[in-house]
C-alpha cells in the first residue's frame, strides 16, 4: 500500500516454527506412596470403602471423613509457608479438627492388604448435601512411619481426595485429586497423561456410555471436571503426526503425549486438541531411548 513498512518473507518450504516451545527440565523424584480403590462400584457413604495402599516403606494411612474443603486447602498452603505436613498430627493441627471422623492404619512395607474404612453408625451421616459442597466425603493421608525415611525421600506425604457416592450425589466412587507433599515445602497435583498408545486410558468396559456422560455432567456441575478431551485414537505407539517415531513428548497444559523427538519442534499448538503449548517435557532422554532400543535388539 506504499507505506514503506519492512516485512520478512518466509520461504514456503520452511515449516519449522520460528518460536520454540519452552522445554521443561525434568527432575526424577521417587514417590514412596501408592493408593488404589479396588472395588469402586461397592463404595458408598453408608457402606464404606475399601482402599489398597502400596508403599515402598512402612507408612501410616489416616482417613478423614467429612473433611472441610476450605480447611484442607488452607492446610496445603500451610505446608508451603508455615510447617511441613510430615505426620497425621501435623495435618490435624492444620485442619483444626474440621472433620467428622478419623480412622488410622499402620501399613507395612510392600503390603497390599485391603483396608476397610467406614463411618460409625452413630454418626448418622447418609450424605454430604448438594453441590457445591463444603466437605469432601473422604481424605486419605499417607505418611512415612519412620522418621529416618522422611530424611531420605523428597516426597514425605500424599493426600488423596476421594469422592464416595451418597443419597444426594450418586457419582461413582473415584480419586478426584492426589497431592504429593515435598520436604522442601512444595506440593504437586498428580495428574494423568493423555496417551495415544496402547489404550492407556481407563477401560470403558466397566461403564456404559450413558453412565459415562452422566458422570461427566455431574462432575462439571460440581466444578470437579477438567477440560479433558475424550480420546478415541488408534492403538499405536507411533507419533500422531509422522506415524513413524515413538511418542516421547508431553505437551503442557493439555497433557497430551503424542509427538516424537522429530516432530516436537514444528508445533506451537497441540495436534490433538489445538491448545497452545506453553511447555513440553520428554518422557525419556535420548540416551535412555538408545539404551532401550539396543536392549530390544
Amino acid at each position: 500500500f506504499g507505506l514503506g513498512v519492512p516485512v520478512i518473507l518466509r520461504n514456503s518450504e520452511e515449516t519449522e516454527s520460528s518460536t520454540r516451545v519452552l522445554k521443561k527440565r525434568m527432575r526424577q523424584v521417587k514417590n514412596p506412596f501408592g493408593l488404589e480403590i479396588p472395588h469402586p462400584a461397592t463404595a458408598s457413604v453408608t457402606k464404606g470403602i475399601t482402599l489398597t495402599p502400596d508403599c515402598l516403606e512402612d507408612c501410616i494411612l489416616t482417613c478423614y471423613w467429612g473433611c472441610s474443603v476450605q480447611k484442607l486447602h488452607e492446610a496445603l498452603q500451610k505446608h508451603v509457608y508455615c510447617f511441613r505436613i510430615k505426620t497425621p498430627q501435623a495435618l490435624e493441627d492444620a485442619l483444626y479438627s474440621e472433620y467428622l471422623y478419623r480412622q488410622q492404619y499402620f501399613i507395612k512395607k510392600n503390603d497390599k492388604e485391603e483396608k476397610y474404612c467406614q463411618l460409625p453408625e452413630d454418626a448418622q451421616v447418609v450424605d454430604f448435601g448438594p453441590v457445591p459442597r463444603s466437605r469432601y466425603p473422604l481424605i486419605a493421608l499417607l505418611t512415612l512411619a519412620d522418621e529416618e525415611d522422611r530424611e531420605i525421600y523428597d516426597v514425605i506425604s500424599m493426600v488423596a481426595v476421594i469422592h464416595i457416592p451418597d443419597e444426594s450425589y450418586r457419582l461413582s466412587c473415584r480419586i478426584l485429586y492426589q497431592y504429593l507433599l515435598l520436604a522442601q515445602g512444595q506440593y504437586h497435583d498428580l495428574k494423568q497423561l493423555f496417551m495415544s498408545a496402547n489404550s492407556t486410558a481407563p477401560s470403558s468396559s466397566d461403564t456404559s456410555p450413558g453412565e459415562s456422560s452422566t458422570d461427566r455432567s455431574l462432575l462439571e456441575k460440581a466444578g470437579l471436571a477438567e477440560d479433558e478431551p475424550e480420546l478415541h485414537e488408534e492403538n499405536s505407539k507411533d507419533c500422531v503426526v509422522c506415524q513413524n517415531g515413538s511418542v516421547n513428548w508431553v505437551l503442557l497444559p493439555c497433557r497430551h503425549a503424542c509427538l516424537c523427538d522429530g516432530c516436537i519442534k514444528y508445533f506451537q499448538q497441540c495436534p490433538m486438541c489445538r491448545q497452545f503449548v506453553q511447555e513440553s517435557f520428554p518422557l525419556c532422554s535420548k540416551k535412555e531411548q538408545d539404551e532401550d532400543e539396543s536392549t530390544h535388539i
Side-chain angles (χ1 to χ4, degrees):
F1 299 100
L3 299 178
V5 178
V7 296
I8 299 175
L9 298 178
R10 295 187 65 189
N11 189 329
S12 60
E13 297 178 355
E14 184 183 354
T15 56
E16 184 173 345
S17 173
S18 59
T19 305
R20 294 298 182 93
V21 173
L22 180 64
K23 293 183 180 179
K24 202 174 186 68
R25 292 184 64 87
M26 294 184 69
R27 182 169 67 94
Q28 185 174 359
V29 177
K30 183 180 286 188
N31 177 20
F33 308 110
L35 187 68
E36 292 182 358
I37 305 173
H39 314 293
T42 61
S44 71
V45 169
T46 53
K47 295 179 181 178
I49 184 175
T50 303
L51 301 175
T52 304
D54 183 10
C55 303
L56 300 178
E57 307 291 346
D58 291 349
C59 292
I60 298 172
L61 171 64
T62 311
C63 298
Y64 300 92
W65 288 89
C67 180
S68 166
V69 173
Q70 180 180 345
K71 292 300 180 183
L72 174 66
H73 290 280
E74 286 179 2
L76 293 174
Q77 293 303 313
K78 287 177 181 178
H79 173 78
V80 177
Y81 297 107
C82 302
F83 54 84
R84 306 292 175 253
I85 298 177
K86 298 181 179 182
T87 64
Q89 186 60 50
L91 180 60
E92 286 167 35
D93 291 343
L95 292 175
Y96 294 103
S97 299
E98 287 287 334
Y99 56 85
L100 302 179
Y101 184 65
R102 187 192 75 142
Q103 291 173 287
Q104 195 168 78
Y105 306 89
F106 183 80
I107 310 298
K108 293 291 291 182
K109 178 179 179 180
N110 296 323
D111 180 14
K112 299 182 182 180
E113 182 183 351
E114 294 181 355
K115 303 297 181 183
Y116 182 68
C117 305
Q118 186 180 22
L119 273 167
E121 291 184 6
D122 57 9
Q124 297 181 341
V125 177
V126 294
D127 64 58
F128 289 96
V131 294
R133 291 177 160 178
S134 60
R135 293 181 181 271
Y136 287 125
L138 185 66
I139 299 296
L141 171 70
L142 277 167
T143 52
L144 294 164
D146 193 338
E147 191 170 347
E148 293 181 2
D149 290 334
R150 298 175 202 146
E151 304 299 324
I152 299 173
Y153 287 92
D154 285 331
V155 180
I156 54 174
S157 54
M158 183 177 79
V159 176
V161 178
I162 303 173
H163 170 74
I164 303 176
D166 56 33
E167 292 185 0
S168 296
Y169 195 31
R170 300 186 182 277
L171 182 73
S172 58
C173 178
R174 65 192 66 192
I175 296 177
L176 296 177
Y177 310 105
Q178 281 182 294
Y179 300 105
L180 297 180
L181 279 61
L182 276 63
Q184 295 80 11
Q186 304 96 344
Y187 70 90
H188 299 300
D189 187 0
L190 199 61
K191 290 181 179 290
Q192 180 182 359
L193 298 182
F194 301 116
M195 305 288 290
S196 61
N198 285 344
S199 299
T200 52
S203 172
S204 59
S205 60
D206 300 332
T207 309
S208 66
E211 266 189 310
S212 177
S213 60
T214 303
D215 286 357
R216 177 74 185 172
S217 63
L218 286 171
L219 276 173
E220 288 171 351
K221 288 179 182 177
L224 299 174
E226 298 182 9
D227 298 327
E228 299 170 354
E230 296 182 7
L231 305 180
H232 303 283
E233 294 87 13
E234 66 281 0
N235 295 336
S236 169
K237 288 186 177 181
D238 295 334
C239 170
V240 298
V241 178
C242 68
Q243 299 290 306
N244 186 34
S246 298
V247 168
N248 190 41
W249 284 85
V250 179
L251 309 179
L252 299 177
C254 67
R255 308 200 305 275
H256 278 121
C258 55
L259 293 175
C260 67
D261 290 325
C263 292
I264 181 67
K265 56 189 175 184
Y266 296 104
F267 287 87
Q268 291 182 352
Q269 289 176 273
C270 173
M272 302 299 299
C273 64
R274 305 303 181 197
Q275 186 170 357
F276 279 97
V277 180
Q278 297 176 8
E279 292 179 307
S280 62
F281 67 87
L283 293 172
C284 63
S285 65
K286 183 66 175 172
K287 181 180 178 182
E288 289 173 324
Q289 280 184 317
D290 293 341
E291 289 175 354
D292 186 51
E293 288 176 4
S294 63
T295 305
H296 281 75
I297 292 170

